[in-house]
Amino acid sequence: QEVNSLYQAGGGAAALVDGYAPFCKHVFVKNFAGVKSTTLAITPENEHLLRSGYEARTDKELPVLGRWFPSDLVGEVPDAEYLDIILYSREQIRKENAAMGEDSGSDAPWGIVSIKPQGVDYELPMQPITVMRNALGEEYGG
């Protein structure tokens, strides 16, 4: 509800920022929920804490290699300044859901597919692993 309110307050459709593809849009809002930053600089002091492994966002998605710092080992993480609310068109969501054997059950023209906490109010480059996952095709969650 809060995202919908911020979307309307920002001018509705005028608040949508074009994304990497015609079916992708962004809405950038101040971090109203206290969401923590998801990035941390790798330094000589913390590099020994870095972990890697294969992760999938769902059971139906192909696991891909990722890396992270365990949150319990890095201390206090600051709140992100902004949230990048990433939207896909209903048509794209239906395509991806069909490929995964799912149904969102919604007819809304846009659906939230991701929320990225970040320090700026513009689109950051995709992580290489996201580019790879998107290239795999809809049947693998891309």
Side-chain angles (χ1 to χ4, degrees):
Q1 257 182 334
E2 182 71 21
V3 172
N4 285 339
S5 296
L6 291 167
Y7 166 79
Q8 293 299 335
L16 296 177
V17 177
D18 289 341
Y20 76 98
F23 59 78
C24 179
K25 302 287 183 192
H26 299 261
V27 176
F28 297 98
V29 297
K30 284 283 197 181
N31 181 0
F32 61 88
V35 179
K36 300 294 183 187
S37 177
T38 57
T39 59
L40 185 63
I42 300 171
T43 67
E45 293 76 31
N46 67 18
E47 67 184 347
H48 68 283
L49 302 173
L50 196 58
R51 305 291 188 264
S52 62
Y54 287 89
E55 304 173 296
R57 296 175 294 188
T58 71
D59 292 339
K60 296 179 180 181
E61 192 173 74
L62 181 70
V64 294
L65 186 62
R67 65 182 183 171
W68 65 91
F69 286 108
S71 59
D72 60 328
L73 298 180
V74 295
E76 185 63 28
V77 176
D79 288 354
E81 190 171 348
Y82 295 95
L83 301 175
D84 176 3
I85 313 295
I86 303 172
L87 311 171
Y88 276 11
S89 69
R90 179 59 41 203
E91 179 183 349
Q92 183 66 24
I93 291 172
R94 284 190 179 119
K95 281 184 190 177
E96 292 186 18
N97 283 344
M100 302 291 280
E102 298 175 357
D103 180 4
S104 71
S106 175
D107 286 327
W110 296 95
I112 297 172
V113 296
S114 184
I115 300 175
K116 289 178 23 185
Q118 56 188 50
V120 295
D121 64 348
Y122 54 84
E123 183 179 10
L124 295 172
M126 270 191 234
Q127 292 184 26
I129 206 69
T130 304
V131 174
M132 187 196 89
R133 181 180 277 128
N134 285 350
L136 288 174
E138 295 159 357
E139 66 274 17
Y140 297 106

